[in-house]
């Protein structure tokens, strides 16, 4: 740790406290669903460990590393498991689309999309699709499981009129889509993979995105959309307009959280204040050592969105390769159970 890092972290916390004051004064839209369980007070940070004094002539002892403190109790295991399972299994009414959003890269957006789809699909017994709508070489298709074929969204767009005609003529929609979709490694959800060709983005205009959304939501109860990073693209804006709920993914880091906060401001200015207030924020920990910003960020995003979930660090997710839901830690699965319950809460009423 560099000599200036503690001061830098203190300044970051002070900046977030200024944002917290702004958040508390912001009126929230009426009719927003409440969290599944009231938040508890998170535990304080672990005390700094000081090594014993060194005697003359002795080699200096190795630096003592503090043990990773537990995550805030309010955000892991808050909801009783039977209640969370009941909420996730409930009828969602008409099919729903969920946008996973943050214009900054590297904030576990694809990971969150995969794990949310895996949790929802495994608990509900299917009916869930993960759609890689990142315009520039999205990796969801690689991380979600093995590919039975090389077809991607590019091929579905190219064949879209024929696919729509086949469905309209009465062919089973799952049979028609089978040639374009992949399955997750454990079979709990299906995947519409992105394409490496950046020119595919040219074809993702509002009309095509709306047609894709209609097609996919007529085949699945819940469609989880891994969005791109350009908040001004017609594709991104159309997905937001078509979505029933948002999941804001971020890390307990200043740059990632500021970008998420800026995006929420932009969405409110564009008339999506209700969507922002009804969103679920997912804070994924990239390290076993808890960030000193974590509690401040939890408080901040709890003021801006309906629910906040903290996902603990999991070394099984570090490699960036295929995510095997069965291989992640129990604590990670437990946190995603709570997050997924918050994600679907209130649907079907």
């Amino acid at each position: 740790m560099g000599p200036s890092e503690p001061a830098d972290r203190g300044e970051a916390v002070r900046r977030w406290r200024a944002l917290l004051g702004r958040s508390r004064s912001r009126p929230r839209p009426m009719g927003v669903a409440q969290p599944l369980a009231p938040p508890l007070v998170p535990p304080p940070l672990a005390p700094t460990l000081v090594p014993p004094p060194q005697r003359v002539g002795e080699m200096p002892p190795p630096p003592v590393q503090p043990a990773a403190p537990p995550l805030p109790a309010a955000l892991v295991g808050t909801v009783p498991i039977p209640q969370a399972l009941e909420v996730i299994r409930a009828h969602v009414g008409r099919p729903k689309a969920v946008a996973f959003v943050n214009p900054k890269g590297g904030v576990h957006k694809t990971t969150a999309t995969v794990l949310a789809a895996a949790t929802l699909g495994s608990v509900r017994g299917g009916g869930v699709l993960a759609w890689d709508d990142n315009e520039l070489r999205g990796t969801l298709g690689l991380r979600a499981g093995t590919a039975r074929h090389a077809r991607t969204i590019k091929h579905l767009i190219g064949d879209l009129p024929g696919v729509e005609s086949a469905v309209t003529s009465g062919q089973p929609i799952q049979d028609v889509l089978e040639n374009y979709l992949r399955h997750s490694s454990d079979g709990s959800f299906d995947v519409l993979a992105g394409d490496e060709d950046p020119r595919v983005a040219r074809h993702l205009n509002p009309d095509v995105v709306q047609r894709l959304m209609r097609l996919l939501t007529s085949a699945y109860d819940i469609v989880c959309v891994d969005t791109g990073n350009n908040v001004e693209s017609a594709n991104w804006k159309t997905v937001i307009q078509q979505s029933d709920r948002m999941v804001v993914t971020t890390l307990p880091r200043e740059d990632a959280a500021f970008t998420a906060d800026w995006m929420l401001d932009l969405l409110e200015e564009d008339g999506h204040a209700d969507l922002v207030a009804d969103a679920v924020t997912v804070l994924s920990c990239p390290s076993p050592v808890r960030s000193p910003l974590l509690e401040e960020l939890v408080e901040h995003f709890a003021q801006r969105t309906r629910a906040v979930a903290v996902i603990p660090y999991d070394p099984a997710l570090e490699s960036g390769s295929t995510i095997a839901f069965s291989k992640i830690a129990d604590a990670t699965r437990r946190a995603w159970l709570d997050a997924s319950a918050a994600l679907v809460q209130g649907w079907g009423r």
Side-chain angles (χ1 to χ4, degrees):
M1 178 182 293
S4 64
E5 190 170 347
D8 293 341
R9 287 183 176 178
E11 178 60 26
V13 170
R14 284 191 290 274
R15 283 196 292 267
W16 272 108
R17 285 176 177 156
L19 279 178
L20 288 174
R22 185 189 68 171
S23 295
R24 293 190 185 103
S25 64
R26 179 186 288 108
R28 293 174 62 86
M30 300 297 292
V32 175
Q34 295 302 308
L36 286 164
L40 308 175
V41 178
L45 291 172
T48 303
L49 301 181
V50 180
Q54 179 184 349
R55 295 181 180 178
V56 177
E58 286 184 341
M59 293 292 292
V64 180
Q65 298 294 330
L71 292 169
L75 303 166
V76 175
T78 302
V79 185
I81 290 178
Q83 181 187 354
L85 294 174
E86 181 182 1
V87 169
I88 293 172
R89 288 172 179 154
H91 180 55
V92 298
R94 63 173 179 79
K96 299 295 193 297
V98 182
F100 288 71
V101 292
N102 189 331
K104 182 171 176 56
V107 292
H108 292 203
K109 191 165 49 186
T110 296
T111 302
T113 307
V114 170
L115 292 177
T119 304
L120 293 170
S122 60
V123 174
R124 293 179 62 84
V128 179
L129 174 79
W131 170 12
D132 188 346
D133 194 43
N134 193 321
E135 298 167 349
L136 298 175
R137 298 194 68 179
T139 59
L140 190 148
L142 299 175
R143 304 205 68 194
T146 57
R148 298 173 296 112
H149 53 69
R151 286 183 287 279
T152 67
I153 190 172
K154 176 181 179 179
H155 302 88
L156 180 55
I157 292 173
D159 297 343
L160 191 54
V163 169
E164 291 171 327
S165 297
V167 173
T168 302
S169 68
Q171 293 187 38
I173 188 168
Q174 292 287 358
D175 293 347
V176 176
L177 290 176
E178 180 72 13
N179 293 325
Y180 304 94
L181 304 181
R182 307 177 186 185
H183 301 306
S184 62
S185 54
D186 64 355
S188 60
F189 65 100
D190 291 338
V191 177
L192 175 57
D195 198 273
E196 294 187 355
D197 185 354
R199 291 170 293 186
V200 173
R202 303 175 189 173
H203 302 287
L204 289 167
N205 57 58
D207 176 65
V208 168
V209 173
Q210 289 173 18
R211 290 163 64 188
L212 287 169
M213 191 71 83
R214 281 196 299 268
L215 185 69
L216 298 174
T217 53
S218 63
Y220 293 88
D221 293 331
I222 302 174
V223 175
C224 300
V225 187
D226 183 5
T227 64
N229 300 335
N230 182 4
V231 298
E232 286 300 310
S233 75
N235 176 20
W236 195 90
K237 289 187 173 185
T238 305
V239 167
I240 295 299
Q241 292 166 359
Q242 298 284 305
S243 293
D244 299 280
R245 190 158 282 169
M246 289 192 314
V247 174
V248 180
T249 68
T250 188
L251 308 179
R253 278 189 357 209
E254 188 177 356
D255 56 348
F258 265 122
T259 303
D261 196 65
W262 164 81
M263 176 197 66
L264 295 179
D265 285 342
L266 186 67
L267 287 168
E268 288 178 342
E269 292 170 6
D270 285 348
H272 298 296
D274 287 345
L275 195 61
V276 169
D278 191 45
V280 175
T281 299
V282 171
L283 276 157
S284 298
C285 297
S287 164
V289 179
R290 192 176 74 206
S291 165
L293 285 176
L294 184 59
E295 281 82 4
E296 301 288 337
L297 295 176
V298 168
E299 183 180 357
H300 174 72
F301 285 104
Q303 296 291 328
R304 299 217 62 179
T305 61
R306 178 172 53 87
V308 179
V310 173
I311 309 300
Y313 166 78
D314 192 332
L317 302 174
E318 267 194 350
S319 67
S321 60
T322 300
I323 297 173
F325 193 54
S326 61
K327 299 293 180 61
I328 64 174
D330 289 343
T332 307
R333 282 205 293 269
R334 183 69 182 89
W336 270 109
L337 188 70
D338 281 0
S340 299
L343 192 162
V344 303
Q345 183 195 15
W347 286 345
R349 291 178 180 172

